[in-house]
Amino acid sequence: NIALFFIFFQGPLVGVNPVQIRATVDLYPRSRPSYDTGAHISENPDPCDNFRCKRGKTCKLNEKDKPSCVCQQATECPPSVNDFDHVCGTDNRTYDTSCELFATKCNLEGTKKGHRLHLDYTGSCKLIPQCVDTELVQFPLRMRDWLKNVLLQLYEHDSVTPGFLTPKQRFRVKKIFDSERRLQAGDHSVELLAQDFEKNYNMYIYPVHWQFAQLDQHPSDRYLAHSELAPLRVPLVPMEHCTSRFFQECDADKDKQVSFKEWTTCFGIKNGEKKKMHCRIPYSWISGNHK
Ligand SMILES: *[C@@H]1O[C@H](CO)[C@@H](O)[C@H](O)[C@H]1NC(C)=O
Ligand SMILES: [Ca+2]
Ligand SMILES: [Ca+2]
């Protein structure tokens, strides 16, 4: 999922971004043909093959020749290919690559500095302007519109190469896609976005629910922890200076998690339509989990 959002957000939250096409393939690897020929299978497989370590760590064999995870050295990280590989840490220091940041964090393990160091956003560190109230109000309007466009794009790709959406997701998005009334993707004024939200409110519900479910995976519990929000936050912060404040204020009860209810409220989607239970979308429909 991280791959999707990293690439999705290489443009501002308006219109249709052609880079999104590549991104979707990364998100849905099952749509990618597999070329595993089995050529790597040898008599003595490296025990470190398929041994996964968390970010910042790498697999090494210990004294007993057993694979184990140890901190990676920043100098062992592959060099950055271009400026897009740079990341800004919460220490406001630019790291050449995210590998370097996580290696640095790992080597600081047990220290306060290491505990505090996180990936803040993609790109070199820069001055992020303060988000003023009037801008904060506009942020969810633009993001809602963007989410809808992302889903419609996925739908179009899915029509050519199935696998981007589950049948149930397709069913939901088709309704939006087929609507004559929908606002086409474009660089719209905040006034127009607000008007369209009033007029076509129903078209915005699913994209907002869908994005939540995309992020709510570790674990899938209807709460977004800070780390679950990261795939969305990290690429967005350098482009949209209200991102951090928006998600902070989204957590209305300040328990450091964004609940499903807090999320929908942030995007202006109504909650608790209890009388219309039969209209509610089962959570599994949104997330695409067939459980
Ligand atoms: C972070 O670093 C950038 C670039 O060096 C600088 O412009 C900015 O003011 C710094 N931000 C803070 C909060 O210190
Ligand atoms: Ca969760
Ligand atoms: Ca909360």
Side-chain angles (χ1 to χ4, degrees):
N1 282 16
I2 292 175
L4 170 86
F5 291 107
F6 268 111
I7 304 174
F8 262 9
F9 278 111
Q10 297 289 324
L13 285 187
V14 289
V16 175
N17 180 350
V19 210
Q20 291 174 2
I21 298 163
R22 276 189 288 131
T24 54
V25 182
D26 291 332
L27 174 65
Y28 295 93
R30 68 193 140 103
S31 65
R32 217 166 17 186
S34 161
Y35 297 111
D36 190 1
T37 56
H40 309 296
I41 298 167
S42 65
E43 292 284 309
N44 293 311
D46 185 342
C48 270
D49 284 351
N50 300 319
F51 193 84
R52 307 227 5 205
C53 295
K54 66 174 209 176
R55 287 179 306 191
K57 297 202 171 194
T58 185
C59 179
K60 290 250 164 76
L61 299 181
N62 62 15
E63 318 83 59
K64 292 172 187 151
D65 272 349
K66 287 272 183 311
S68 67
C69 292
V70 295
C71 281
Q72 194 164 18
Q73 293 310 309
T75 49
E76 292 169 6
C77 286
S80 60
V81 176
N82 56 42
D83 290 356
F84 292 115
D85 290 336
H86 297 182
V87 294
C88 183
T90 42
D91 54 356
N92 201 35
R93 196 191 125 192
T94 301
Y95 294 81
D96 230 27
T97 60
S98 60
C99 172
E100 274 193 20
L101 184 144
F102 289 112
T104 305
K105 182 175 168 65
C106 187
N107 284 287
L108 288 169
E109 217 163 57
T111 67
K112 213 177 213 175
K113 208 172 155 196
H115 184 69
R116 284 207 196 124
L117 180 60
H118 298 283
L119 173 55
D120 199 8
Y121 52 90
T122 49
S124 303
C125 296
K126 58 181 187 180
L127 184 66
I128 307 258
Q130 245 195 319
C131 170
V132 299
D133 292 349
T134 47
E135 294 168 323
L136 186 67
V137 172
Q138 297 177 358
F139 185 82
L141 274 77
R142 293 187 296 113
M143 184 141 172
R144 242 169 7 210
D145 182 57
W146 179 82
L147 288 175
K148 180 163 66 74
N149 293 332
V150 165
L151 258 185
L152 290 169
Q153 267 226 325
L154 282 175
Y155 180 85
E156 287 188 274
H157 296 317
D158 191 72
S159 306
V160 182
T161 321
F164 292 104
L165 298 172
T166 65
K168 279 169 183 171
Q169 289 173 331
R170 256 196 90 76
F171 174 80
R172 304 290 310 187
V173 186
K174 186 178 190 306
K175 284 194 190 166
I176 307 171
F177 188 84
D178 289 344
S179 173
E180 306 265 313
R181 291 153 47 106
R182 82 177 152 91
L183 184 65
Q184 298 296 319
D187 193 356
H188 303 304
S189 69
V190 182
E191 289 72 29
L192 182 58
L193 293 177
Q195 249 175 43
D196 190 62
F197 184 64
E198 290 229 327
K199 186 174 136 212
N200 292 319
Y201 171 76
N202 286 327
M203 291 187 202
Y204 291 90
I205 301 173
Y206 185 67
V208 168
H209 287 190
W210 171 80
Q211 177 65 89
F212 184 91
Q214 291 291 305
L215 297 170
D216 179 28
Q217 308 265 347
H218 308 286
S220 183
D221 58 359
R222 286 183 162 252
Y223 285 90
L224 297 180
H226 196 265
S227 59
E228 288 178 293
L229 263 174
L232 184 60
R233 231 184 57 84
V234 162
L236 201 51
V237 170
M239 279 176 286
E240 294 281 345
H241 64 282
C242 283
T243 306
S244 289
R245 196 175 156 199
F246 176 73
F247 288 125
Q248 260 162 32
E249 301 203 357
C250 222
D251 175 20
D253 65 2
K254 303 284 169 233
D255 68 345
K256 305 247 190 276
Q257 306 227 51
V258 177
S259 68
F260 184 67
K261 200 174 162 196
E262 285 172 336
W263 175 271
T264 49
T265 305
C266 276
F267 285 102
I269 303 294
K270 290 178 222 122
N271 277 294
E273 288 163 288
K274 297 224 164 64
K275 280 183 196 133
K276 290 198 247 164
M277 274 307 267
H278 59 281
C279 294
R280 283 269 197 93
I281 312 157
Y283 193 57
S284 60
W285 280 41
I286 310 165
S287 60
N289 295 335
H290 306 277
K291 277 177 212 144

PDB file of all heavy atoms in Angstrom, residues 212 215-225 228 257-258 283, ligand 2:
ATOM      1  N   PHE A 212     -10.115   4.970   4.351  1.00  0.00           N
ATOM      2  CA  PHE A 212      -9.918   4.552   5.737  1.00  0.00           C
ATOM      3  C   PHE A 212      -9.559   3.071   5.785  1.00  0.00           C
ATOM      4  O   PHE A 212      -8.589   2.671   6.429  1.00  0.00           O
ATOM      5  CB  PHE A 212     -11.173   4.826   6.570  1.00  0.00           C
ATOM      6  CG  PHE A 212     -10.980   4.509   8.034  1.00  0.00           C
ATOM      7  CD1 PHE A 212     -10.536   5.483   8.912  1.00  0.00           C
ATOM      8  CD2 PHE A 212     -11.240   3.237   8.527  1.00  0.00           C
ATOM      9  CE1 PHE A 212     -10.338   5.201  10.263  1.00  0.00           C
ATOM     10  CE2 PHE A 212     -11.043   2.939   9.869  1.00  0.00           C
ATOM     11  CZ  PHE A 212     -10.597   3.920  10.742  1.00  0.00           C
ATOM     12  N   LEU A 215      -6.078   2.138   4.764  1.00  0.00           N
ATOM     13  CA  LEU A 215      -5.039   2.444   5.752  1.00  0.00           C
ATOM     14  C   LEU A 215      -5.144   1.558   6.982  1.00  0.00           C
ATOM     15  O   LEU A 215      -4.155   1.247   7.625  1.00  0.00           O
ATOM     16  CB  LEU A 215      -5.130   3.918   6.178  1.00  0.00           C
ATOM     17  CG  LEU A 215      -4.894   4.956   5.083  1.00  0.00           C
ATOM     18  CD1 LEU A 215      -5.244   6.346   5.587  1.00  0.00           C
ATOM     19  CD2 LEU A 215      -3.448   4.918   4.604  1.00  0.00           C
ATOM     20  N   ASP A 216      -6.368   1.151   7.319  1.00  0.00           N
ATOM     21  CA  ASP A 216      -6.606   0.398   8.544  1.00  0.00           C
ATOM     22  C   ASP A 216      -6.315  -1.087   8.329  1.00  0.00           C
ATOM     23  O   ASP A 216      -7.222  -1.889   8.160  1.00  0.00           O
ATOM     24  CB  ASP A 216      -8.066   0.610   8.982  1.00  0.00           C
ATOM     25  CG  ASP A 216      -8.392  -0.173  10.233  1.00  0.00           C
ATOM     26  OD1 ASP A 216      -7.476  -0.432  11.034  1.00  0.00           O
ATOM     27  OD2 ASP A 216      -9.571  -0.539  10.417  1.00  0.00           O
ATOM     28  N   GLN A 217      -5.043  -1.433   8.332  1.00  0.00           N
ATOM     29  CA  GLN A 217      -4.674  -2.815   8.024  1.00  0.00           C
ATOM     30  C   GLN A 217      -3.774  -3.442   9.073  1.00  0.00           C
ATOM     31  O   GLN A 217      -3.590  -4.643   9.079  1.00  0.00           O
ATOM     32  CB  GLN A 217      -3.928  -2.872   6.678  1.00  0.00           C
ATOM     33  CG  GLN A 217      -4.654  -2.197   5.532  1.00  0.00           C
ATOM     34  CD  GLN A 217      -5.496  -3.152   4.697  1.00  0.00           C
ATOM     35  OE1 GLN A 217      -5.361  -4.360   4.816  1.00  0.00           O
ATOM     36  NE2 GLN A 217      -6.374  -2.623   3.879  1.00  0.00           N
ATOM     37  N   HIS A 218      -3.157  -2.633   9.924  1.00  0.00           N
ATOM     38  CA  HIS A 218      -2.165  -3.162  10.880  1.00  0.00           C
ATOM     39  C   HIS A 218      -2.422  -2.685  12.299  1.00  0.00           C
ATOM     40  O   HIS A 218      -1.691  -1.836  12.790  1.00  0.00           O
ATOM     41  CB  HIS A 218      -0.751  -2.770  10.440  1.00  0.00           C
ATOM     42  CG  HIS A 218      -0.437  -3.110   9.028  1.00  0.00           C
ATOM     43  ND1 HIS A 218      -0.197  -4.397   8.608  1.00  0.00           N
ATOM     44  CD2 HIS A 218      -0.368  -2.323   7.929  1.00  0.00           C
ATOM     45  CE1 HIS A 218       0.031  -4.378   7.302  1.00  0.00           C
ATOM     46  NE2 HIS A 218      -0.071  -3.144   6.862  1.00  0.00           N
ATOM     47  N   PRO A 219      -3.370  -3.202  12.995  1.00  0.00           N
ATOM     48  CA  PRO A 219      -4.355  -4.200  12.593  1.00  0.00           C
ATOM     49  C   PRO A 219      -5.605  -3.519  12.037  1.00  0.00           C
ATOM     50  O   PRO A 219      -5.794  -2.316  12.187  1.00  0.00           O
ATOM     51  CB  PRO A 219      -4.688  -4.885  13.923  1.00  0.00           C
ATOM     52  CG  PRO A 219      -4.548  -3.790  14.940  1.00  0.00           C
ATOM     53  CD  PRO A 219      -3.497  -2.844  14.412  1.00  0.00           C
ATOM     54  N   SER A 220      -6.460  -4.323  11.418  1.00  0.00           N
ATOM     55  CA  SER A 220      -7.705  -3.819  10.878  1.00  0.00           C
ATOM     56  C   SER A 220      -8.747  -3.773  11.993  1.00  0.00           C
ATOM     57  O   SER A 220      -9.443  -4.741  12.237  1.00  0.00           O
ATOM     58  CB  SER A 220      -8.147  -4.766   9.754  1.00  0.00           C
ATOM     59  OG  SER A 220      -9.312  -4.272   9.157  1.00  0.00           O
ATOM     60  N   ASP A 221      -8.784  -2.656  12.712  1.00  0.00           N
ATOM     61  CA  ASP A 221      -9.597  -2.583  13.920  1.00  0.00           C
ATOM     62  C   ASP A 221     -10.474  -1.332  13.997  1.00  0.00           C
ATOM     63  O   ASP A 221     -10.946  -0.955  15.065  1.00  0.00           O
ATOM     64  CB  ASP A 221      -8.684  -2.628  15.153  1.00  0.00           C
ATOM     65  CG  ASP A 221      -7.658  -1.499  15.144  1.00  0.00           C
ATOM     66  OD1 ASP A 221      -7.653  -0.714  14.165  1.00  0.00           O
ATOM     67  OD2 ASP A 221      -6.876  -1.392  16.094  1.00  0.00           O
ATOM     68  N   ARG A 222     -10.611  -0.653  12.852  1.00  0.00           N
ATOM     69  CA  ARG A 222     -11.401   0.579  12.793  1.00  0.00           C
ATOM     70  C   ARG A 222     -10.760   1.754  13.515  1.00  0.00           C
ATOM     71  O   ARG A 222     -11.417   2.748  13.828  1.00  0.00           O
ATOM     72  CB  ARG A 222     -12.831   0.371  13.311  1.00  0.00           C
ATOM     73  CG  ARG A 222     -13.686  -0.404  12.311  1.00  0.00           C
ATOM     74  CD  ARG A 222     -15.096  -0.540  12.803  1.00  0.00           C
ATOM     75  NE  ARG A 222     -15.972  -0.878  11.700  1.00  0.00           N
ATOM     76  CZ  ARG A 222     -16.862  -0.033  11.168  1.00  0.00           C
ATOM     77  NH1 ARG A 222     -16.983   1.194  11.615  1.00  0.00           N
ATOM     78  NH2 ARG A 222     -17.623  -0.428  10.171  1.00  0.00           N
ATOM     79  N   TYR A 223      -9.461   1.616  13.798  1.00  0.00           N
ATOM     80  CA  TYR A 223      -8.711   2.743  14.340  1.00  0.00           C
ATOM     81  C   TYR A 223      -7.441   2.897  13.527  1.00  0.00           C
ATOM     82  O   TYR A 223      -6.818   1.895  13.167  1.00  0.00           O
ATOM     83  CB  TYR A 223      -8.322   2.502  15.802  1.00  0.00           C
ATOM     84  CG  TYR A 223      -9.480   2.659  16.751  1.00  0.00           C
ATOM     85  CD1 TYR A 223     -10.283   1.572  17.064  1.00  0.00           C
ATOM     86  CD2 TYR A 223      -9.771   3.904  17.314  1.00  0.00           C
ATOM     87  CE1 TYR A 223     -11.364   1.712  17.921  1.00  0.00           C
ATOM     88  CE2 TYR A 223     -10.840   4.052  18.172  1.00  0.00           C
ATOM     89  CZ  TYR A 223     -11.640   2.952  18.473  1.00  0.00           C
ATOM     90  OH  TYR A 223     -12.702   3.100  19.313  1.00  0.00           O
ATOM     91  N   LEU A 224      -7.050   4.119  13.249  1.00  0.00           N
ATOM     92  CA  LEU A 224      -5.798   4.352  12.557  1.00  0.00           C
ATOM     93  C   LEU A 224      -4.771   4.856  13.557  1.00  0.00           C
ATOM     94  O   LEU A 224      -4.920   5.945  14.111  1.00  0.00           O
ATOM     95  CB  LEU A 224      -5.964   5.384  11.440  1.00  0.00           C
ATOM     96  CG  LEU A 224      -6.908   5.030  10.298  1.00  0.00           C
ATOM     97  CD1 LEU A 224      -6.950   6.173   9.293  1.00  0.00           C
ATOM     98  CD2 LEU A 224      -6.482   3.739   9.616  1.00  0.00           C
ATOM     99  N   ALA A 225      -3.740   4.037  13.764  1.00  0.00           N
ATOM    100  CA  ALA A 225      -2.622   4.470  14.597  1.00  0.00           C
ATOM    101  C   ALA A 225      -1.757   5.404  13.745  1.00  0.00           C
ATOM    102  O   ALA A 225      -1.924   5.476  12.524  1.00  0.00           O
ATOM    103  CB  ALA A 225      -1.825   3.264  15.049  1.00  0.00           C
ATOM    104  N   GLU A 228      -0.207   3.730  10.868  1.00  0.00           N
ATOM    105  CA  GLU A 228      -1.112   3.363   9.768  1.00  0.00           C
ATOM    106  C   GLU A 228      -1.431   4.566   8.891  1.00  0.00           C
ATOM    107  O   GLU A 228      -1.710   4.421   7.696  1.00  0.00           O
ATOM    108  CB  GLU A 228      -2.418   2.767  10.327  1.00  0.00           C
ATOM    109  CG  GLU A 228      -2.255   1.378  10.916  1.00  0.00           C
ATOM    110  CD  GLU A 228      -3.563   0.862  11.501  1.00  0.00           C
ATOM    111  OE1 GLU A 228      -4.026   1.438  12.510  1.00  0.00           O
ATOM    112  OE2 GLU A 228      -4.122  -0.099  10.962  1.00  0.00           O
ATOM    113  N   GLN A 257      -5.200   8.062  18.101  1.00  0.00           N
ATOM    114  CA  GLN A 257      -5.709   7.197  17.046  1.00  0.00           C
ATOM    115  C   GLN A 257      -6.867   7.924  16.370  1.00  0.00           C
ATOM    116  O   GLN A 257      -7.614   8.630  17.031  1.00  0.00           O
ATOM    117  CB  GLN A 257      -6.286   5.909  17.641  1.00  0.00           C
ATOM    118  CG  GLN A 257      -5.326   5.186  18.528  1.00  0.00           C
ATOM    119  CD  GLN A 257      -5.293   3.712  18.181  1.00  0.00           C
ATOM    120  OE1 GLN A 257      -5.135   3.351  17.021  1.00  0.00           O
ATOM    121  NE2 GLN A 257      -5.444   2.878  19.169  1.00  0.00           N
ATOM    122  N   VAL A 258      -7.004   7.707  15.092  1.00  0.00           N
ATOM    123  CA  VAL A 258      -8.144   8.268  14.390  1.00  0.00           C
ATOM    124  C   VAL A 258      -9.159   7.148  14.193  1.00  0.00           C
ATOM    125  O   VAL A 258      -8.899   6.193  13.454  1.00  0.00           O
ATOM    126  CB  VAL A 258      -7.733   8.895  13.041  1.00  0.00           C
ATOM    127  CG1 VAL A 258      -8.956   9.415  12.303  1.00  0.00           C
ATOM    128  CG2 VAL A 258      -6.733  10.025  13.259  1.00  0.00           C
ATOM    129  N   TYR A 283     -18.311  -3.487   6.455  1.00  0.00           N
ATOM    130  CA  TYR A 283     -16.921  -3.056   6.454  1.00  0.00           C
ATOM    131  C   TYR A 283     -16.081  -3.890   5.482  1.00  0.00           C
ATOM    132  O   TYR A 283     -15.196  -3.377   4.816  1.00  0.00           O
ATOM    133  CB  TYR A 283     -16.352  -3.149   7.861  1.00  0.00           C
ATOM    134  CG  TYR A 283     -15.043  -2.435   8.017  1.00  0.00           C
ATOM    135  CD1 TYR A 283     -14.941  -1.071   7.704  1.00  0.00           C
ATOM    136  CD2 TYR A 283     -13.919  -3.095   8.453  1.00  0.00           C
ATOM    137  CE1 TYR A 283     -13.738  -0.409   7.835  1.00  0.00           C
ATOM    138  CE2 TYR A 283     -12.710  -2.436   8.595  1.00  0.00           C
ATOM    139  CZ  TYR A 283     -12.634  -1.103   8.283  1.00  0.00           C
ATOM    140  OH  TYR A 283     -11.444  -0.450   8.420  1.00  0.00           O
TER     141      TYR A 283
HETATM  142 CA    CA B   2      -5.952  -0.094  12.694  1.00  0.00          CA
END
